[in-house]
């Protein structure tokens, strides 16, 4: 059978099924294959909030979204071109997220009356006309999977398990993908269970052949390799990149790494990843609570380690007092907040940017710290590295904000070489004590120096009580307090001299400047670059440095008539900008749904602003 | 190789130039002196000793010790000390805390330090009151005590730090009192020698807010009958005439008199601080005056690996079997591909 092959520039595919259906694995396999043949891509897993929600219900749906393209891809995309729904709940959960005339592949064996009832459908969605307008492909996936593995000596319950591989086979045919990468993966995953490896491979192949043979699918698609910069690549999630960035900083600075952390969604993967790497002399402490997480890190910092604590919004709130202690004692400390939907327990598995003000201001007293934000899964590496560098060179806590979206999202990453990473020079004391004092400062950076227990002659005491300038002794002197508050503020403000300036993508004379920060980079870049390509008068400036702001921020803002600040919160960065740079007018665009921006919504909004809405 | 003669440290070497600011007559002074006397005995250089405290009167301690010191935040000293010790296991780490700091606001960190058995020494100054905040009751205050925050008397039950510690799997527990300088030094040396978390409860008199709270145990006329100083391997004998002793009657301790009812010294319990089983240690810790003498000295001292030791052993093992020798190697591991 000859097949018609259509060529696409980019495509969004969503795998969805019950949490036991193996959708994360399926999606990851599709991503690896796509990456291997040279597509650029971005992925985003969508986990159910409950660990074991009842089978077949919407609450139990686990999804994996991936966008692949023949150009650089900056986000996992919005609505799917192709949805693979393993059951009615998966269909229901994703109905609002399919493009008009998109393709829906379902397992018709799981669309019995009891299945769609469990999903909360009153009628069978396959029969009630609600899927009209979509290209619906009904495949008896469960039955065909069973048939395809009939000859293998495996447990009965494993016979339908491979249906995710069957579905993946269909999608591989649809997008003209080779099966080898997944076949190799199955061989190594089931090295000790060769029958299971064979069964899974058979199901994969059967799915592929099924799609090839039956004329359910009018055509298949091709997405050519993207023109990516030369180099060696791997796939990386934001949380992995964060962990590795810190490992890299520890190696570069020749410091031992200490992580004190308490498990919390969506930050726990950083703890998991670093716990694997004890061979790099990494100490990880799963502490009794969030406070002990940060306090043990402060202790390790006092004792000379590169100290890290990881958390999410509620945990950052608990750590507030201890951040103040690290700020007061001017000890280096990296605090990573993988933001999630708040307030309170909020939306643990959803993304949001609502910890910004907490990070900048959320402590008692005048308590300035450096706040930076990563903006893509892979640049979590660079910003984790940078957070560590700033902390140990400027002797201060640094809060790094990432979020659930980039932390769990993955993309191909051109692997960094340690030789290309900037030098890190921790402010550790050298030589004899002489007239050294705990709060003797560097003239340029204003940092104090790090005298670590074990170094002879530098015995000294520090603490959370106000310090006498220079000596660090306890002081209640009113003037000294004012001096010290101002020195601590100035120390953080001067970090602006050591960080890159803000850059603008697009024409610096454009009518509208889109401003974003952190994890919304992909969405904002995709929307603005599409509009720039259409010749619209728009530009994009994205902030990774929140406190202090890049030095040229005002100079950049001054070039634009209209500035719109886009955030996944109710307007936090815009508040900060209004207080720091009140001379400009800021429009704002906010989305507070626990979801990333969508390209369509953004373009709509920006066009409205350009047309003088 | 040249033989370097180590300079002998003295108590004086551990004093700082800071004015000691506790109330005159506070029990803390004696404890400070005892610690300064202890440190030259433990075989550590000054730079390898760290004092960590939380908040409270006792927590000013590090400012008065010429070692590395860190006066931290309320209740969190065990967590901070844990980080210090894990980062550098060679350090001798001392945590100074009080009944409010350790048992109220910091209760969670306190029990988990003991559970893990991190090799630090905790000096718990128990004065059964809040001093720094000017006289509220604490978790060890006796029920009914009238304080600023309990003008009608407390209805709170109190707990006993030793029982709490053993419940949290503590391997070392000792109790001393601030008016026994020599015995404080002995117990502190034992605590430092013990591997793992060593908890010393120091009954400390707060002359301002809870004066004489321990008088029922320390007053000259009752002292010998109400204090039992335990020593490993020695019979549990006490009393003005050294003729009283403890025996077990079923699951309860009982006081007997040697020479009465046919009781001889051989019938008296012999203290075994090294016993794993906590039952008898708990009974000893629980004893209170006037029905019983209060137990002092090293009540429990059980050997085991410390947490920091186990962590670093694991690291050593991982290093020996390292998959990657550098971060470059790690980053290039697994599935990678070239784009030409
Ligand atoms: S208030 Fe009590 S415990 Fe505090 S310093 Fe004064 S006497 Fe000592």
């Amino acid at each position: 059978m000859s097949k018609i092959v259509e060529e696409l520039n980019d495509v969004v595919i969503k795998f969805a099924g019950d949490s036991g259906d193996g959708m994360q694995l399926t999606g990851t396999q599709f991503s690896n294959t796509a990456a291997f043949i040279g597509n650029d891509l971005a992925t985003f897993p969508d986990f159910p909030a409950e660990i074991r929600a009842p089978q077949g219900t919407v609450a139990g749906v686990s999804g994996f979204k991936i966008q692949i393209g023949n150009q650089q891809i900056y986000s996992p995309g919005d609505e799917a071109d192709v949805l693979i729904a393993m059951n009615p709940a998966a269909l229901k959960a994703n109905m609002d997220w399919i493009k008009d005339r998109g393709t829906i592949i379902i397992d018709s064996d799981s669309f019995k009356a009891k299945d769609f009832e469990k999903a909360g459908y009153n009628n069978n969605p396959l029969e009630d006309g609600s899927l009209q307008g979509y290209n619906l492909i009904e495949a008896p996936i469960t039955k065909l999977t069973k048939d395809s593995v009939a000859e293998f000596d495996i447990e009965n319950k494993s016979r339908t398990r491979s249906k995710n591989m069957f579905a993946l086979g269909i999608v591989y045919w649809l997008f003209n993908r080779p099966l080898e990468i997944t076949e190799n993966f199955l061989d190594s995953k089931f090295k000790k269970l060769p029958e299971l490896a064979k069964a899974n491979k058979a199901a994969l192949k059967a799915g592929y052949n099924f799609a090839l043979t039956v004329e359910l699918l009018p055509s298949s698609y091709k997405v050519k390799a993207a023109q990516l910069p030369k180099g060696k690549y791997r796939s990386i999630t934001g949380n992995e990149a964060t962990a590795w960035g810190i490992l890299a900083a520890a190696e570069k600075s020749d410091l031992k790494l200490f992580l004190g952390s308490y498990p919390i969604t969506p930050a726990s993967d950083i703890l998991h990843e670093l716990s694997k790497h004890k061979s790099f002399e990494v100490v990880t402490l799963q502490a009794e609570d969030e406070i002990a997480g940060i306090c043990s890190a402060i202790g390790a910092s006092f004792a000379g380690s590169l100290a890290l604590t990881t958390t999410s919004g509620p945990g950052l709130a608990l750590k507030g007092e201890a951040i103040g202690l690290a700020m007061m004692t001017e000890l280096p400390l990296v605090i990573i907040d993988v933001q999630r939907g708040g307030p309170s327990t909020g939306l643990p598995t959803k993304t949001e940017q609502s910890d910004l003000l907490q990070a900048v201001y959320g402590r008692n007293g005048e308590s300035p710290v450096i706040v930076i934000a990563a903006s893509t899964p892979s640049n979590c590496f660079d910003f984790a590295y940078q957070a560590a560098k700033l902390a140990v060179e400027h002797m201060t806590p640094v809060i790094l904000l990432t979020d659930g979206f980039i932390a769990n999202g993955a993309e191909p990453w051109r692997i960094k070489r340690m030789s290309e990473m900037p030098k890190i020079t921790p402010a550790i004391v050298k030589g004899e004590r002489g007239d050294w004092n705990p709060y003797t400062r560097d003239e340029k950076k204003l940092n104090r120096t790090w005298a670590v227990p074990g170094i002879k002659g530098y015995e000294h005491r520090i603490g959370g009580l106000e310090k006498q300038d220079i000596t660090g002794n306890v002081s209640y002197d009113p003037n000294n307090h004012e001096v010290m508050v101002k020195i601590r503020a100035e120390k953080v403000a001067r970090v602006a001299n050591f960080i890159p300036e803000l850059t603008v993508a697009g024409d610096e004379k454009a009518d509208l400047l889109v401003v974003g920060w952190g994890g919304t980079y992909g969405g904002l870049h995709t929307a603005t670059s599409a509009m720039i390509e259409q010749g619209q008068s728009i530009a994009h400036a994205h902030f990774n440095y929140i406190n202090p702001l890049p030095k040229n921020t005002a100079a950049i803002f001054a070039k634009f008539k209209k500035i719109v600040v886009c955030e996944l919160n109710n307007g936090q960065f815009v508040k900060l900008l209004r207080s720091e740079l009140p001379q400009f007018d800021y429009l704002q665009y906010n989305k507070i749904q626990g979801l990333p921006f969508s390209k369509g919504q953004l373009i709509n909004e920006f066009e409205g602003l350009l047309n003088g809405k | 190789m040249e033989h370097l003669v180590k300079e002998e440290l003295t108590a004086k070497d551990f004093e700082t130039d800071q004015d000691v600011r506790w109330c005159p007559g506070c029990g803390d002074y004696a404890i400070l002196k005892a610690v300064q006397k202890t440190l030259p005995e433990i075989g550590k250089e000054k730079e390898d000793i760290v004092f960590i405290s939380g908040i409270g009167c006792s927590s000013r301690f590090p400012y008065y010790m010429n070692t590395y010191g860190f006066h931290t935040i309320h209740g969190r000293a065990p967590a901070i000390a844990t980080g210090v010790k894990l980062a550098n296991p060679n350090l001798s780490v001392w945590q100074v805390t009080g009944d409010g700091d350790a048992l109220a606001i910091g209760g969670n960190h306190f029990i988990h330090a003991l559970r893990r058995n991190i090799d630090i020494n905790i000096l718990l100054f128990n004065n059964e009151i809040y001093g720094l905040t000017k006289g509220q009751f604490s978790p060890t205050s006796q029920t009914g005590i009238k304080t600023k925050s309990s003008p009608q008397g407390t209805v709170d039950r109190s707990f006993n730090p030793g029982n709490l510690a053993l419940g949290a799997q503590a391997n070392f527990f000792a109790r001393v009192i601030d008016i026994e300088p020599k015995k404080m030094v002995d117990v502190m040396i034992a605590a430092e020698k013990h591997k793992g978390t060593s908890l010393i409860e120091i009954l400390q008199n707060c002359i301002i807010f809870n004066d004489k709270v321990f008088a029922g145990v320390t007053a000259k006329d009752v002292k010998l009958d109400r204090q039992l100083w335990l020593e490993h391997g020695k019979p549990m004998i006490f009393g003005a005439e050294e003729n009283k002793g403890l025996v077990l009657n079923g699951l309860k301790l009982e006081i007997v008199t040697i020479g009465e009812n046919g009781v001889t010294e051989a019938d008296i319990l012999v203290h075994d601080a090294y016993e794993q089983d906590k039952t008898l240690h708990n009974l000893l810790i629980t004893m209170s005056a006037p029905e019983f003498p209060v137990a002092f000295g090293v009540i429990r001292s059980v050997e085991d690996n410390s947490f920091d030791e186990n962590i670093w052993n694991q690291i050593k093992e991982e290093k020996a079997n390292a998959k990657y020798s550098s971060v470059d190697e790690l980053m290039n591991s697994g599935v990678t591909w070239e784009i030409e």
Side-chain angles (χ1 to χ4, degrees), chain A residues 562 587-589 604-613:
Chain A
K562 267 189 194 170
L587 301 163
Q588 61 189 86
Y589 178 60
N604 215 7
E605 175 72 18
F606 300 153
E607 282 179 348
L609 291 175
L610 283 169
N611 299 331
K613 178 182 83 173

Side-chain angles (χ1 to χ4, degrees), chain B residues 284-299:
Chain B
L284 292 167
I285 287 167
T286 312
M287 292 193 304
S288 67
E291 298 76 22
F292 282 97
V294 173
F296 289 97
V298 177
I299 300 177

